[in-house]
């Protein structure tokens, strides 16, 4: 990376604005901006003040790597009994005995700090650090975390350390601080429910962890489907010629995902069931408009079969279970959804009955008879 990129990274790691860094170094804000965009470079006389202001070495500023330090860290890393110590306290104490002395001599090495933090967190959660005071343990963990926050340029390492600090605070009884740290982890690294589940699992609260994990899964299933639906709507509105066809392709993709989400266990969660049936109704209508009657009939059969399955579920004994959804829909929600799907089924039946192409009328008639939707029969 260029020196400009390094200046920007280290400035942000220290929490400085460009103005604040400029004041510390004694230059203008415009100079900092030029350096960070590689439109200019700091004068040689400013390198040391700049490094001091950013709490890094001049080698760090220029991106130079100390091969001796690299070799030393590599020797320590190879000595670890099990490098990935997360959730595994078996070897954490031994690994920590290798890592802590190295970090004491290299207090800006975020890799070592990250590993030390993981090891110490495992030791704390396992209860093996009971001889030390809570304040002492927190101070040591915060020392490692601060190093990662200040010197790491690896986003995964940075946000993993935040999760581990949340895990530490939770294990030591400070849930409020644990929750505040979780709020600092971007959703791209897992939503809040997921990270709370991780903390609960690490603390041995398995029932709570599983409940949070399922809620996180349900939220993802919901929003992934929404994103695909929105992409289809955008295509239809922005492309007058091919938009409907593109939207259909998106919806076929969404249907495959919904079927995957709903394939675990016998429990049928209201929100996902509603998404699937609304999708099927819309797809059937579009295919009929486009003249793809064969596919429209296939989807109508899927709709009728799904409605029949959901009817049996709602009217059933109520002991069905899901692998990855929380079984917490109220009975009145299920009944309301059943009635709403029934109305959509009726609309689809009306559309199918309007098909006049003789190549398909016999199959449509047979399909309606199969599910008891012949002329004069109610859904």
């Amino acid at each position: 990376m260029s020196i400009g990129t390094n200046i920007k990274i280290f400035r942000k790691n220290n929490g400085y604005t460009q103005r604040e860094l400029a004041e510390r170094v004694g230059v203008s804000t415009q100079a900092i901006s030029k350096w960070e965009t590689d439109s200019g470079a700091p004068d040689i006389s400013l390198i040391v003040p700049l490094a001091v202001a950013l709490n890094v070495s001049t080698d760090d500023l220029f991106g130079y790597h100390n091969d001796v330090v690299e070799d030393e860290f590599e020797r320590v890393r190879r000595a670890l009994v099990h490098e990935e110590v997360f959730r595994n306290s078996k070897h954490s104490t031994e690994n920590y005995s290798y890592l802590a002395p190295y970090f004491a001599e290299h207090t800006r090495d975020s890799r070592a700090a990250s590993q030390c933090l993981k090891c110490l967190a495992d030791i704390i959660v396992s209860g093996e650090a009971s001889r030390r005071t809570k304040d002492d343990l927190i101070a040591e963990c915060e020392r490692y975390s601060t190093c990662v926050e200040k010197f790491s340029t690896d986003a995964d390492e940075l946000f993993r350390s935040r999760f581990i600090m949340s895990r530490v605070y939770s294990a030591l009884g400070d849930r409020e601080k644990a929750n505040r740290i979780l709020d600092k982890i971007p959703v791209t690294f897992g939503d809040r429910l997921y990270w709370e589940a991780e903390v609960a699992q690490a603390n041995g609260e398995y029932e709570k962890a599983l409940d949070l994990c399922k809620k996180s899964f349900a939220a993802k299933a919901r929003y992934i489907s929404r994103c695909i639906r929105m992409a289809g709507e955008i295509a239809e509105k922005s492309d007058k010629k091919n938009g409907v066809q593109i939207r259909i392709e998106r919806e076929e993709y969404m249907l495959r995902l919904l079927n995957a989400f709903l394939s675990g266990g016998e429990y049928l969660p209201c929100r996902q069931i509603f998404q699937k049936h609304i999708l099927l109704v819309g797809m059937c209508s579009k295919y009929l408009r486009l003249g793809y009657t064969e596919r429209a009939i296939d989807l109508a059969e899927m709709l009728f079969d799904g409605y029949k399955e959901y009817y049996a579920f709602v009217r059933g004994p109520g002991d069905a279970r899901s692998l990855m959804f929380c079984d917490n829909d109220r009975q009145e929600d299920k009944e309301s959804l059943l009635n709403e799907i029934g109305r959509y089924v009726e609309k689809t039946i009306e559309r199918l009955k309007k098909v006049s192409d003789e190549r398909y009328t016999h199959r449509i008639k047979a399909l309606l008879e199969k599910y008891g939707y012949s002329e004069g029969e109610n859904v």
Side-chain angles (χ1 to χ4, degrees):
M1 290 187 289
S2 68
I3 187 173
T5 300
N6 288 335
I7 291 171
K8 185 176 182 179
I9 289 171
F10 293 134
R11 174 178 64 77
K12 289 187 173 183
N13 286 350
N14 281 277
Y16 300 152
T17 64
Q18 287 185 338
R19 179 183 296 278
E20 288 170 336
L21 179 58
E23 290 174 352
R24 289 171 179 270
V25 180
V27 297
S28 67
T29 304
Q30 290 77 11
I32 300 295
S33 178
K34 285 183 178 180
W35 298 345
E36 292 187 352
T37 57
D38 292 321
S39 299
D43 186 87
I44 191 66
S45 64
L46 295 173
I47 294 300
V48 172
L50 186 57
V52 171
L54 293 171
N55 295 303
V56 297
S57 68
T58 55
D59 282 349
D60 290 333
L61 200 57
F62 283 104
Y64 299 150
H65 294 286
N66 187 323
D67 291 337
V68 174
V69 172
E70 287 292 326
D71 289 345
E72 188 175 346
F73 179 77
E74 183 61 24
R75 284 195 297 273
V76 172
R77 191 192 65 78
R78 286 198 301 266
L80 300 182
V81 179
H82 192 289
E83 184 179 3
E84 183 51 64
V85 295
F86 182 47
R87 292 201 198 102
N88 178 7
S89 62
K90 183 178 180 181
H91 303 302
S92 295
T93 302
E94 185 174 351
N95 288 339
Y96 192 60
S97 69
Y98 291 117
L99 289 160
Y102 171 84
F103 180 78
E105 294 183 10
H106 306 90
T107 55
R108 294 182 178 180
D109 193 327
S110 63
R111 302 162 303 173
S114 178
Q115 291 281 0
C116 283
L117 182 59
K118 286 194 290 183
C119 284
L120 188 52
D122 282 335
I123 294 168
I124 291 170
V125 172
S126 69
E128 296 174 13
S130 56
R131 296 179 182 178
R132 300 174 60 181
T133 67
K134 173 182 173 181
D135 290 343
D136 179 46
L137 291 170
I138 287 177
E140 189 163 356
C141 288
E142 287 179 341
R143 184 158 59 95
Y144 299 132
S145 175
T146 299
C147 174
V148 175
E149 292 280 345
K150 290 182 68 173
F151 301 115
S152 178
T153 57
D154 183 332
D156 284 320
E157 185 176 76
L158 177 63
F159 296 119
R160 184 171 58 245
S161 76
R162 290 182 184 175
F163 159 67
I164 295 172
M165 281 305 300
S166 176
R167 181 187 179 203
V168 167
Y169 282 122
S170 178
L172 294 175
D174 195 339
R175 293 297 178 94
E176 183 178 348
K177 188 168 284 188
N179 289 336
R180 286 204 301 270
I181 292 178
L182 288 180
D183 287 334
K184 296 181 180 180
I185 301 177
V187 70
T188 49
F189 287 82
D191 62 81
R192 172 64 179 271
L193 289 168
Y194 170 79
W195 288 112
E196 288 182 356
E198 285 272 19
V199 171
Q201 181 191 16
N203 291 341
E205 300 169 312
Y206 299 120
E207 186 175 345
K208 177 182 178 182
L210 182 58
D211 181 64
L212 289 165
C213 186
K214 286 186 174 184
K215 287 179 179 177
S216 174
F217 177 85
K220 290 180 177 69
R222 176 185 179 187
Y223 289 113
I224 288 171
S225 298
R226 281 186 170 186
C227 286
I228 299 171
R229 182 190 66 195
M230 185 187 299
E233 291 172 350
I234 291 169
E236 185 173 3
K237 291 179 180 179
S238 61
D239 189 335
K240 301 300 181 184
K241 182 179 179 181
N242 303 307
V244 176
Q245 183 65 46
I246 295 172
R247 182 173 181 177
I248 280 288
E249 292 172 359
R250 299 279 196 280
E251 290 180 344
E252 288 282 6
Y253 178 42
M254 180 174 168
L255 180 60
R256 291 195 296 274
L257 283 176
L258 283 172
N259 283 333
F261 287 142
L262 295 170
S263 63
E266 299 175 349
Y267 172 69
L268 302 177
C270 284
R271 189 179 296 277
Q272 281 70 29
I273 287 293
F274 181 71
Q275 280 186 321
K276 178 179 177 179
H277 285 76
I278 289 295
L279 178 65
L280 287 170
V281 171
M283 291 175 71
C284 184
S285 175
K286 293 185 191 74
Y287 274 123
L288 287 174
R289 291 203 323 263
L290 293 170
Y292 300 135
T293 309
E294 191 77 27
R295 181 56 179 162
I297 295 172
D298 289 340
L299 293 170
E301 184 168 12
M302 194 180 300
L303 173 67
F304 299 157
D305 194 54
Y307 177 57
K308 179 181 177 182
E309 181 185 14
Y310 191 64
Y311 185 93
F313 166 68
V314 173
R315 297 286 189 264
D319 57 354
R321 290 291 178 266
S322 170
L323 295 180
M324 285 304 296
F325 285 102
C326 293
D327 314 340
N328 58 2
D329 293 328
R330 299 175 302 174
Q331 186 62 30
E332 53 264 40
D333 293 333
K334 297 175 184 177
E335 294 285 351
S336 174
L337 180 58
L338 189 64
N339 293 332
E340 191 163 358
I341 294 175
R343 289 192 290 272
Y344 283 112
V345 168
E346 289 175 350
K347 289 182 180 180
T348 302
I349 293 171
E350 292 173 8
R351 293 186 181 113
L352 289 174
K353 287 181 176 179
K354 292 178 181 178
V355 174
S356 57
D357 192 328
E358 294 183 356
R359 291 176 297 173
Y360 304 109
T361 52
H362 178 73
R363 185 183 170 195
I364 289 172
K365 181 180 179 181
L367 177 64
L368 296 180
E369 288 177 349
K370 174 183 176 181
Y371 290 95
Y373 301 148
S374 299
E375 199 71 41
E377 295 184 50
N378 294 324
V379 171

